[in-house]
Short mmCIF file of all heavy atoms in Angstrom, two decimals:
data_model
loop_
_atom_site.label_atom_id
_atom_site.label_comp_id
_atom_site.label_asym_id
_atom_site.label_seq_id
_atom_site.Cartn_x
_atom_site.Cartn_y
_atom_site.Cartn_z
N MET A 63 0.85 -1.17 0.00
CA MET A 63 0.00 0.00 0.00
C MET A 63 0.89 1.23 0.00
O MET A 63 1.97 1.23 0.58
CB MET A 63 -0.91 0.00 1.22
CG MET A 63 -1.71 1.28 1.36
SD MET A 63 -2.79 1.29 2.79
CE MET A 63 -4.30 0.85 1.96
N GLN A 64 0.42 2.26 -0.62
CA GLN A 64 1.16 3.51 -0.72
C GLN A 64 0.37 4.62 -0.01
O GLN A 64 -0.84 4.72 -0.17
CB GLN A 64 1.35 3.87 -2.19
CG GLN A 64 2.19 5.07 -2.45
CD GLN A 64 2.44 5.24 -3.95
OE1 GLN A 64 2.56 4.27 -4.68
NE2 GLN A 64 2.50 6.47 -4.38
N LEU A 65 1.08 5.44 0.78
CA LEU A 65 0.45 6.55 1.49
C LEU A 65 1.18 7.84 1.17
O LEU A 65 2.39 7.85 0.93
CB LEU A 65 0.51 6.33 3.00
CG LEU A 65 -0.17 5.10 3.57
CD1 LEU A 65 0.10 4.99 5.06
CD2 LEU A 65 -1.67 5.14 3.31
N LYS A 66 0.45 8.94 1.23
CA LYS A 66 1.06 10.26 1.05
C LYS A 66 1.31 10.85 2.43
O LYS A 66 0.45 10.78 3.31
CB LYS A 66 0.13 11.17 0.25
CG LYS A 66 0.73 12.52 -0.04
CD LYS A 66 -0.18 13.36 -0.91
CE LYS A 66 0.49 14.69 -1.19
NZ LYS A 66 -0.33 15.53 -2.04
N VAL A 67 2.51 11.43 2.62
CA VAL A 67 2.87 12.06 3.88
C VAL A 67 3.35 13.49 3.61
O VAL A 67 3.69 13.83 2.47
CB VAL A 67 3.96 11.27 4.63
CG1 VAL A 67 3.44 9.89 5.04
CG2 VAL A 67 5.22 11.14 3.80
N ASP A 68 3.36 14.30 4.63
CA ASP A 68 3.88 15.66 4.48
C ASP A 68 5.36 15.64 4.14
O ASP A 68 6.10 14.75 4.60
CB ASP A 68 3.69 16.46 5.77
CG ASP A 68 2.23 16.78 6.07
OD1 ASP A 68 1.43 16.82 5.11
OD2 ASP A 68 1.91 16.99 7.24
N SER A 69 5.80 16.60 3.37
CA SER A 69 7.21 16.73 3.02
C SER A 69 8.02 16.88 4.30
O SER A 69 7.68 17.68 5.18
CB SER A 69 7.41 17.94 2.11
OG SER A 69 8.76 18.07 1.78
N GLY A 70 9.07 16.11 4.44
CA GLY A 70 9.92 16.17 5.62
C GLY A 70 9.38 15.44 6.83
O GLY A 70 9.97 15.52 7.91
N ALA A 71 8.26 14.75 6.68
CA ALA A 71 7.67 14.02 7.81
C ALA A 71 8.60 12.91 8.27
O ALA A 71 9.21 12.22 7.45
CB ALA A 71 6.32 13.43 7.41
N LEU A 72 8.74 12.77 9.58
CA LEU A 72 9.52 11.69 10.15
C LEU A 72 8.57 10.54 10.47
O LEU A 72 7.76 10.63 11.39
CB LEU A 72 10.25 12.15 11.41
CG LEU A 72 11.24 13.29 11.21
CD1 LEU A 72 11.80 13.76 12.55
CD2 LEU A 72 12.37 12.86 10.28
N VAL A 73 8.67 9.48 9.71
CA VAL A 73 7.78 8.33 9.87
C VAL A 73 8.59 7.20 10.50
O VAL A 73 9.64 6.82 9.98
CB VAL A 73 7.21 7.87 8.51
CG1 VAL A 73 6.29 6.69 8.69
CG2 VAL A 73 6.50 9.03 7.82
N PRO A 74 8.12 6.65 11.62
CA PRO A 74 8.85 5.53 12.24
C PRO A 74 8.80 4.30 11.34
O PRO A 74 7.91 4.18 10.49
CB PRO A 74 8.11 5.30 13.55
CG PRO A 74 6.75 5.87 13.35
CD PRO A 74 6.90 6.99 12.34
N THR A 75 9.73 3.40 11.55
CA THR A 75 9.77 2.18 10.75
C THR A 75 8.51 1.35 10.97
O THR A 75 7.94 0.82 10.02
CB THR A 75 11.01 1.35 11.10
OG1 THR A 75 12.17 2.17 10.89
CG2 THR A 75 11.13 0.13 10.22
N GLU A 76 8.09 1.22 12.22
CA GLU A 76 6.87 0.48 12.53
C GLU A 76 5.89 1.40 13.24
O GLU A 76 6.29 2.23 14.06
CB GLU A 76 7.17 -0.75 13.39
CG GLU A 76 7.94 -1.80 12.63
CD GLU A 76 8.06 -3.11 13.38
OE1 GLU A 76 7.43 -3.26 14.46
OE2 GLU A 76 8.77 -3.99 12.88
N PHE A 77 4.61 1.25 12.92
CA PHE A 77 3.57 2.12 13.47
C PHE A 77 2.23 1.43 13.34
O PHE A 77 2.11 0.36 12.75
CB PHE A 77 3.57 3.48 12.76
CG PHE A 77 3.49 3.37 11.25
CD1 PHE A 77 2.28 3.38 10.60
CD2 PHE A 77 4.66 3.25 10.49
CE1 PHE A 77 2.21 3.27 9.23
CE2 PHE A 77 4.60 3.14 9.12
CZ PHE A 77 3.38 3.15 8.48
N ALA A 78 1.21 2.06 13.91
CA ALA A 78 -0.16 1.55 13.80
C ALA A 78 -0.98 2.51 12.96
O ALA A 78 -0.77 3.72 13.00
CB ALA A 78 -0.78 1.39 15.18
N ILE A 79 -1.90 1.96 12.21
CA ILE A 79 -2.81 2.76 11.39
C ILE A 79 -4.22 2.58 11.94
O ILE A 79 -4.70 1.45 12.09
CB ILE A 79 -2.76 2.33 9.91
CG1 ILE A 79 -1.39 2.64 9.34
CG2 ILE A 79 -3.86 3.00 9.12
CD1 ILE A 79 -1.24 2.26 7.88
N LEU A 80 -4.87 3.71 12.23
CA LEU A 80 -6.24 3.70 12.74
C LEU A 80 -7.18 4.07 11.61
O LEU A 80 -7.04 5.11 10.99
CB LEU A 80 -6.39 4.71 13.89
CG LEU A 80 -7.79 4.91 14.44
CD1 LEU A 80 -8.31 3.64 15.09
CD2 LEU A 80 -7.80 6.07 15.44
N ASN A 81 -8.12 3.20 11.33
CA ASN A 81 -9.18 3.48 10.36
C ASN A 81 -10.35 4.05 11.16
O ASN A 81 -11.11 3.31 11.79
CB ASN A 81 -9.58 2.21 9.62
CG ASN A 81 -10.66 2.45 8.59
OD1 ASN A 81 -11.42 3.40 8.68
ND2 ASN A 81 -10.73 1.58 7.62
N ARG A 82 -10.47 5.36 11.16
CA ARG A 82 -11.51 6.00 11.96
C ARG A 82 -12.91 5.69 11.45
O ARG A 82 -13.87 5.73 12.21
CB ARG A 82 -11.30 7.51 11.99
CG ARG A 82 -10.09 7.89 12.83
CD ARG A 82 -9.92 9.36 12.93
NE ARG A 82 -11.06 9.93 13.67
CZ ARG A 82 -11.19 11.22 13.90
NH1 ARG A 82 -10.30 12.07 13.46
NH2 ARG A 82 -12.24 11.67 14.56
N LYS A 83 -13.04 5.36 10.19
CA LYS A 83 -14.37 5.08 9.63
C LYS A 83 -15.02 3.87 10.29
O LYS A 83 -16.20 3.89 10.61
CB LYS A 83 -14.27 4.87 8.12
CG LYS A 83 -15.59 4.66 7.46
CD LYS A 83 -15.47 4.55 5.96
CE LYS A 83 -16.82 4.34 5.31
NZ LYS A 83 -16.70 4.24 3.86
N ASP A 84 -14.23 2.82 10.50
CA ASP A 84 -14.82 1.62 11.09
C ASP A 84 -14.22 1.23 12.44
O ASP A 84 -14.55 0.19 12.99
CB ASP A 84 -14.78 0.43 10.12
CG ASP A 84 -13.37 0.02 9.74
OD1 ASP A 84 -12.41 0.54 10.32
OD2 ASP A 84 -13.24 -0.84 8.85
N GLY A 85 -13.34 2.09 12.99
CA GLY A 85 -12.82 1.86 14.33
C GLY A 85 -11.87 0.69 14.45
O GLY A 85 -11.86 0.00 15.46
N THR A 86 -11.08 0.47 13.41
CA THR A 86 -10.14 -0.64 13.44
C THR A 86 -8.70 -0.12 13.39
O THR A 86 -8.43 0.99 12.93
CB THR A 86 -10.38 -1.61 12.27
OG1 THR A 86 -10.31 -0.89 11.04
CG2 THR A 86 -11.73 -2.29 12.40
N LEU A 87 -7.79 -0.97 13.86
CA LEU A 87 -6.39 -0.61 13.97
C LEU A 87 -5.55 -1.78 13.46
O LEU A 87 -5.88 -2.94 13.71
CB LEU A 87 -6.07 -0.35 15.44
CG LEU A 87 -4.70 0.15 15.82
CD1 LEU A 87 -4.62 1.66 15.54
CD2 LEU A 87 -4.43 -0.10 17.29
N ALA A 88 -4.46 -1.47 12.74
CA ALA A 88 -3.55 -2.51 12.26
C ALA A 88 -2.12 -2.02 12.43
O ALA A 88 -1.83 -0.83 12.34
CB ALA A 88 -3.81 -2.84 10.80
N ASN A 89 -1.22 -2.96 12.66
CA ASN A 89 0.21 -2.64 12.72
C ASN A 89 0.78 -2.69 11.31
O ASN A 89 0.38 -3.53 10.50
CB ASN A 89 0.94 -3.63 13.61
CG ASN A 89 0.51 -3.52 15.05
OD1 ASN A 89 0.36 -2.42 15.57
ND2 ASN A 89 0.29 -4.64 15.70
N ALA A 90 1.71 -1.78 11.04
CA ALA A 90 2.31 -1.70 9.71
C ALA A 90 3.78 -1.32 9.84
O ALA A 90 4.23 -0.88 10.89
CB ALA A 90 1.57 -0.67 8.87
N ARG A 91 4.50 -1.47 8.74
CA ARG A 91 5.88 -0.99 8.71
C ARG A 91 6.15 -0.35 7.36
O ARG A 91 5.57 -0.74 6.34
CB ARG A 91 6.88 -2.09 9.01
CG ARG A 91 7.13 -3.06 7.89
CD ARG A 91 8.22 -4.06 8.29
NE ARG A 91 8.42 -4.99 7.21
CZ ARG A 91 9.40 -4.90 6.33
NH1 ARG A 91 10.28 -3.93 6.41
NH2 ARG A 91 9.51 -5.78 5.37
N MET A 92 7.02 0.64 7.38
CA MET A 92 7.39 1.34 6.16
C MET A 92 8.43 0.49 5.42
O MET A 92 9.41 0.06 6.01
CB MET A 92 7.97 2.71 6.49
CG MET A 92 8.39 3.50 5.28
SD MET A 92 8.89 5.20 5.64
CE MET A 92 10.06 4.99 6.96
N VAL A 93 8.21 0.27 4.13
CA VAL A 93 9.15 -0.51 3.34
C VAL A 93 9.94 0.36 2.36
O VAL A 93 11.00 -0.05 1.89
CB VAL A 93 8.46 -1.68 2.60
CG1 VAL A 93 7.98 -2.72 3.60
CG2 VAL A 93 7.32 -1.21 1.74
N TRP A 94 9.42 1.53 2.05
CA TRP A 94 10.17 2.50 1.25
C TRP A 94 9.63 3.90 1.48
O TRP A 94 8.53 4.07 1.97
CB TRP A 94 10.18 2.15 -0.25
CG TRP A 94 8.82 2.08 -0.90
CD1 TRP A 94 8.06 0.94 -1.08
CD2 TRP A 94 8.06 3.15 -1.45
NE1 TRP A 94 6.87 1.26 -1.69
CE2 TRP A 94 6.85 2.62 -1.95
CE3 TRP A 94 8.26 4.52 -1.59
CZ2 TRP A 94 5.87 3.40 -2.56
CZ3 TRP A 94 7.27 5.29 -2.19
CH2 TRP A 94 6.11 4.72 -2.67
N HIS A 95 10.45 4.90 1.19
CA HIS A 95 10.09 6.31 1.39
C HIS A 95 10.73 7.13 0.29
O HIS A 95 11.93 7.06 0.08
CB HIS A 95 10.58 6.78 2.76
CG HIS A 95 10.18 8.18 3.10
ND1 HIS A 95 10.97 8.99 3.88
CD2 HIS A 95 9.09 8.92 2.78
CE1 HIS A 95 10.38 10.17 4.03
NE2 HIS A 95 9.24 10.14 3.37
N LYS A 96 9.93 7.90 -0.44
CA LYS A 96 10.44 8.78 -1.49
C LYS A 96 9.61 10.05 -1.50
O LYS A 96 8.41 10.02 -1.77
CB LYS A 96 10.39 8.11 -2.85
CG LYS A 96 10.98 8.96 -3.96
CD LYS A 96 10.98 8.24 -5.28
CE LYS A 96 11.59 9.16 -6.33
NZ LYS A 96 11.53 8.57 -7.65
N ASP A 97 10.26 11.17 -1.21
CA ASP A 97 9.60 12.47 -1.17
C ASP A 97 8.38 12.43 -0.24
O ASP A 97 8.54 12.25 0.95
CB ASP A 97 9.22 12.95 -2.57
CG ASP A 97 10.43 13.09 -3.48
OD1 ASP A 97 11.49 13.52 -2.98
OD2 ASP A 97 10.30 12.75 -4.67
N THR A 98 7.20 12.59 -0.79
CA THR A 98 5.99 12.62 0.03
C THR A 98 5.19 11.31 -0.06
O THR A 98 4.01 11.27 0.28
CB THR A 98 5.07 13.78 -0.40
OG1 THR A 98 4.70 13.61 -1.77
CG2 THR A 98 5.75 15.13 -0.20
N GLN A 99 5.83 10.24 -0.48
CA GLN A 99 5.16 8.94 -0.59
C GLN A 99 5.91 7.91 0.26
O GLN A 99 7.14 7.93 0.32
CB GLN A 99 5.16 8.45 -2.05
CG GLN A 99 4.46 9.39 -3.01
CD GLN A 99 2.96 9.42 -2.80
OE1 GLN A 99 2.33 8.40 -2.57
NE2 GLN A 99 2.38 10.60 -2.87
N ILE A 100 5.16 7.04 0.90
CA ILE A 100 5.76 5.89 1.59
C ILE A 100 5.02 4.64 1.17
O ILE A 100 3.83 4.66 0.87
CB ILE A 100 5.76 6.03 3.12
CG1 ILE A 100 4.33 6.07 3.69
CG2 ILE A 100 6.58 7.22 3.58
CD1 ILE A 100 4.28 5.97 5.21
N GLY A 101 5.75 3.56 1.13
CA GLY A 101 5.15 2.26 0.90
C GLY A 101 5.12 1.51 2.21
O GLY A 101 6.08 1.56 2.98
N ILE A 102 4.00 0.87 2.50
CA ILE A 102 3.89 0.13 3.76
C ILE A 102 3.43 -1.30 3.51
O ILE A 102 2.85 -1.61 2.47
CB ILE A 102 2.91 0.82 4.74
CG1 ILE A 102 1.47 0.78 4.21
CG2 ILE A 102 3.34 2.25 5.04
CD1 ILE A 102 0.43 1.14 5.25
N GLU A 103 3.74 -2.14 4.48
CA GLU A 103 3.17 -3.48 4.49
C GLU A 103 2.54 -3.68 5.86
O GLU A 103 3.01 -3.15 6.86
CB GLU A 103 4.21 -4.56 4.20
CG GLU A 103 5.08 -4.95 5.34
CD GLU A 103 5.97 -6.13 5.02
OE1 GLU A 103 5.61 -7.01 4.22
OE2 GLU A 103 7.07 -6.17 5.59
N PHE A 104 1.44 -4.38 5.87
CA PHE A 104 0.73 -4.62 7.11
C PHE A 104 1.35 -5.80 7.84
O PHE A 104 1.66 -6.83 7.24
CB PHE A 104 -0.75 -4.86 6.85
CG PHE A 104 -1.46 -3.63 6.40
CD1 PHE A 104 -1.79 -3.43 5.06
CD2 PHE A 104 -1.79 -2.63 7.30
CE1 PHE A 104 -2.43 -2.28 4.64
CE2 PHE A 104 -2.43 -1.47 6.89
CZ PHE A 104 -2.75 -1.30 5.57
N LEU A 105 1.53 -5.64 9.16
CA LEU A 105 2.08 -6.69 10.00
C LEU A 105 0.98 -7.44 10.75
O LEU A 105 1.25 -8.46 11.38
CB LEU A 105 3.07 -6.08 11.01
CG LEU A 105 4.23 -5.31 10.39
CD1 LEU A 105 5.06 -4.64 11.48
CD2 LEU A 105 5.09 -6.23 9.53
N SER A 106 -0.23 -6.89 10.70
CA SER A 106 -1.37 -7.54 11.34
C SER A 106 -2.62 -7.20 10.55
O SER A 106 -2.61 -6.30 9.72
CB SER A 106 -1.53 -7.06 12.80
OG SER A 106 -1.92 -5.70 12.84
N LYS A 107 -3.67 -7.93 10.83
CA LYS A 107 -4.96 -7.61 10.23
C LYS A 107 -5.60 -6.49 11.04
O LYS A 107 -5.27 -6.27 12.20
CB LYS A 107 -5.88 -8.84 10.26
CG LYS A 107 -5.38 -9.95 9.38
CD LYS A 107 -6.33 -11.11 9.38
CE LYS A 107 -5.78 -12.18 8.44
NZ LYS A 107 -6.72 -13.28 8.27
N PHE A 108 -6.54 -5.77 10.42
CA PHE A 108 -7.26 -4.72 11.13
C PHE A 108 -8.16 -5.38 12.17
O PHE A 108 -8.83 -6.38 11.89
CB PHE A 108 -8.10 -3.88 10.16
CG PHE A 108 -7.30 -2.82 9.47
CD1 PHE A 108 -6.66 -3.09 8.27
CD2 PHE A 108 -7.18 -1.56 10.03
CE1 PHE A 108 -5.92 -2.11 7.62
CE2 PHE A 108 -6.43 -0.58 9.40
CZ PHE A 108 -5.80 -0.85 8.19
N ALA A 109 -8.16 -4.82 13.38
CA ALA A 109 -8.98 -5.34 14.48
C ALA A 109 -9.68 -4.17 15.15
O ALA A 109 -9.16 -3.06 15.21
CB ALA A 109 -8.11 -6.08 15.49
N ASP A 110 -10.87 -4.44 15.67
CA ASP A 110 -11.66 -3.41 16.36
C ASP A 110 -10.89 -2.93 17.60
O ASP A 110 -10.45 -3.74 18.41
CB ASP A 110 -13.00 -4.01 16.78
CG ASP A 110 -13.99 -2.96 17.24
OD1 ASP A 110 -13.61 -2.08 18.05
OD2 ASP A 110 -15.16 -3.03 16.82
N VAL A 111 -10.73 -1.62 17.74
CA VAL A 111 -9.97 -1.09 18.87
C VAL A 111 -10.64 -1.41 20.21
O VAL A 111 -9.96 -1.51 21.23
CB VAL A 111 -9.72 0.44 18.76
CG1 VAL A 111 -8.86 0.76 17.57
CG2 VAL A 111 -11.01 1.22 18.72
N ARG A 112 -11.94 -1.61 20.22
CA ARG A 112 -12.64 -1.93 21.47
C ARG A 112 -12.32 -3.33 21.96
O ARG A 112 -12.54 -3.64 23.13
CB ARG A 112 -14.15 -1.77 21.29
CG ARG A 112 -14.55 -0.32 21.03
CD ARG A 112 -15.96 -0.22 20.57
NE ARG A 112 -16.05 -0.86 19.25
CZ ARG A 112 -17.11 -0.89 18.49
NH1 ARG A 112 -18.22 -0.33 18.90
NH2 ARG A 112 -17.10 -1.47 17.32
N ASP A 113 -11.78 -4.18 21.09
CA ASP A 113 -11.46 -5.56 21.46
C ASP A 113 -10.02 -5.73 21.93
O ASP A 113 -9.61 -6.83 22.29
CB ASP A 113 -11.69 -6.50 20.27
CG ASP A 113 -13.16 -6.55 19.87
OD1 ASP A 113 -14.02 -6.26 20.73
OD2 ASP A 113 -13.44 -6.87 18.71
N SER A 114 -9.24 -4.66 21.95
CA SER A 114 -7.84 -4.75 22.34
C SER A 114 -7.70 -5.08 23.83
O SER A 114 -8.49 -4.64 24.66
CB SER A 114 -7.11 -3.44 22.05
OG SER A 114 -5.78 -3.50 22.50
N SER A 115 -6.66 -5.83 24.16
CA SER A 115 -6.38 -6.14 25.56
C SER A 115 -5.65 -4.98 26.24
O SER A 115 -5.49 -4.97 27.46
CB SER A 115 -5.54 -7.41 25.67
OG SER A 115 -4.29 -7.22 25.01
N ARG A 116 -5.20 -4.00 25.47
CA ARG A 116 -4.47 -2.86 26.03
C ARG A 116 -5.42 -1.67 26.19
O ARG A 116 -6.07 -1.24 25.24
CB ARG A 116 -3.29 -2.49 25.13
CG ARG A 116 -2.27 -3.64 25.07
CD ARG A 116 -1.11 -3.29 24.22
NE ARG A 116 -1.54 -3.26 22.82
CZ ARG A 116 -0.73 -3.05 21.81
NH1 ARG A 116 0.54 -2.81 22.01
NH2 ARG A 116 -1.20 -3.03 20.57
N GLU A 117 -5.49 -1.15 27.41
CA GLU A 117 -6.41 -0.06 27.75
C GLU A 117 -6.22 1.16 26.86
O GLU A 117 -7.19 1.74 26.38
CB GLU A 117 -6.25 0.32 29.23
CG GLU A 117 -7.14 1.47 29.67
CD GLU A 117 -8.63 1.17 29.63
OE1 GLU A 117 -9.01 -0.02 29.69
OE2 GLU A 117 -9.42 2.12 29.53
N HIS A 118 -4.98 1.58 26.63
CA HIS A 118 -4.76 2.80 25.84
C HIS A 118 -5.23 2.63 24.40
O HIS A 118 -5.63 3.60 23.76
CB HIS A 118 -3.29 3.25 25.90
CG HIS A 118 -2.34 2.35 25.20
ND1 HIS A 118 -1.90 1.15 25.73
CD2 HIS A 118 -1.72 2.48 24.00
CE1 HIS A 118 -1.05 0.58 24.89
NE2 HIS A 118 -0.93 1.36 23.84
N ILE A 119 -5.25 1.41 23.90
CA ILE A 119 -5.78 1.16 22.56
C ILE A 119 -7.30 1.21 22.59
O ILE A 119 -7.94 1.81 21.73
CB ILE A 119 -5.28 -0.19 22.00
CG1 ILE A 119 -3.76 -0.21 21.90
CG2 ILE A 119 -5.94 -0.51 20.66
CD1 ILE A 119 -3.18 0.79 20.90
N ARG A 120 -7.91 0.59 23.59
CA ARG A 120 -9.38 0.63 23.70
C ARG A 120 -9.89 2.06 23.81
O ARG A 120 -10.95 2.39 23.30
CB ARG A 120 -9.86 -0.19 24.91
CG ARG A 120 -9.85 -1.68 24.68
CD ARG A 120 -10.66 -2.41 25.73
NE ARG A 120 -10.35 -2.02 27.09
CZ ARG A 120 -9.37 -2.54 27.85
NH1 ARG A 120 -8.59 -3.46 27.35
NH2 ARG A 120 -9.20 -2.13 29.08
N GLN A 121 -9.11 2.93 24.46
CA GLN A 121 -9.53 4.32 24.61
C GLN A 121 -9.58 5.05 23.27
O GLN A 121 -10.22 6.09 23.17
CB GLN A 121 -8.60 5.04 25.58
CG GLN A 121 -8.80 4.56 27.01
CD GLN A 121 -7.80 5.17 27.97
OE1 GLN A 121 -6.84 5.81 27.58
NE2 GLN A 121 -8.02 4.94 29.24
N MET A 122 -8.95 4.51 22.25
CA MET A 122 -9.03 5.13 20.92
C MET A 122 -10.44 5.09 20.38
O MET A 122 -10.78 5.86 19.48
CB MET A 122 -8.08 4.45 19.94
CG MET A 122 -6.65 4.78 20.16
SD MET A 122 -5.68 4.03 18.85
CE MET A 122 -4.08 4.63 19.25
N SER A 123 -11.28 4.21 20.90
CA SER A 123 -12.66 4.16 20.41
C SER A 123 -13.36 5.48 20.65
O SER A 123 -14.27 5.85 19.92
CB SER A 123 -13.42 3.01 21.06
OG SER A 123 -13.58 3.23 22.45
N VAL A 124 -12.92 6.26 21.64
CA VAL A 124 -13.48 7.59 21.87
C VAL A 124 -13.16 8.48 20.67
O VAL A 124 -14.00 9.23 20.19
CB VAL A 124 -12.91 8.20 23.16
CG1 VAL A 124 -13.37 9.64 23.32
CG2 VAL A 124 -13.34 7.37 24.36
N LEU A 125 -11.94 8.40 20.14
CA LEU A 125 -11.58 9.17 18.95
C LEU A 125 -12.42 8.76 17.76
O LEU A 125 -12.83 9.60 16.97
CB LEU A 125 -10.10 8.94 18.61
CG LEU A 125 -9.07 9.46 19.60
CD1 LEU A 125 -7.69 9.00 19.17
CD2 LEU A 125 -9.12 10.96 19.70
N VAL A 126 -12.65 7.49 17.64
CA VAL A 126 -13.40 6.97 16.49
C VAL A 126 -14.84 7.43 16.54
O VAL A 126 -15.39 7.88 15.54
CB VAL A 126 -13.32 5.43 16.46
CG1 VAL A 126 -14.23 4.87 15.39
CG2 VAL A 126 -11.89 4.98 16.24
N THR A 127 -15.46 7.37 17.70
CA THR A 127 -16.87 7.69 17.79
C THR A 127 -17.14 9.20 17.88
O THR A 127 -18.22 9.65 17.52
CB THR A 127 -17.52 7.00 19.00
OG1 THR A 127 -16.83 7.40 20.19
CG2 THR A 127 -17.48 5.49 18.86
N SER A 128 -16.15 9.97 18.31
CA SER A 128 -16.39 11.41 18.46
C SER A 128 -15.76 12.23 17.35
O SER A 128 -16.02 13.41 17.23
CB SER A 128 -15.84 11.92 19.80
OG SER A 128 -14.43 11.80 19.83
N GLY A 129 -14.91 11.59 16.52
CA GLY A 129 -14.16 12.28 15.50
C GLY A 129 -14.97 12.94 14.48
O GLY A 129 -14.75 13.81 13.76
#
């Protein structure tokens, strides 16, 4: 998958992507970076943030529902 980022953005090698539309989260890693484009690969499937065993992840459901 390819994403657009701001010019000069510092993107960590591994990160999580939150899909606010359906309240899901997936782990990903950057595989390439050129100018304002990055290529990523998913390290996990998208899962509902409310089902996470980690409290700080479950709290993201507030962002999803109020966003």
Side-chain angles (χ1 to χ4, degrees):
M63 174 180 261
Q64 185 174 325
L65 300 175
K66 183 176 181 179
V67 296
D68 290 335
S69 180
L72 299 175
V73 180
T75 303
E76 291 190 7
F77 52 92
I79 294 181
L80 175 64
N81 180 337
R82 289 183 65 181
K83 184 176 180 179
D84 62 7
T86 57
L87 185 79
N89 294 317
R91 76 176 179 99
M92 179 173 51
V93 292
W94 60 266
H95 184 212
K96 183 177 180 185
D97 300 322
T98 60
Q99 301 290 319
I100 63 170
I102 66 167
E103 80 173 329
F104 290 103
L105 303 174
S106 68
K107 294 183 178 186
F108 278 89
D110 192 314
V111 296
R112 295 168 294 185
D113 295 337
S114 176
S115 62
R116 297 181 290 184
E117 178 65 23
H118 68 283
I119 299 295
R120 283 195 311 274
Q121 290 174 350
M122 286 185 177
S123 66
V124 174
L125 294 173
V126 173
T127 58
S128 65

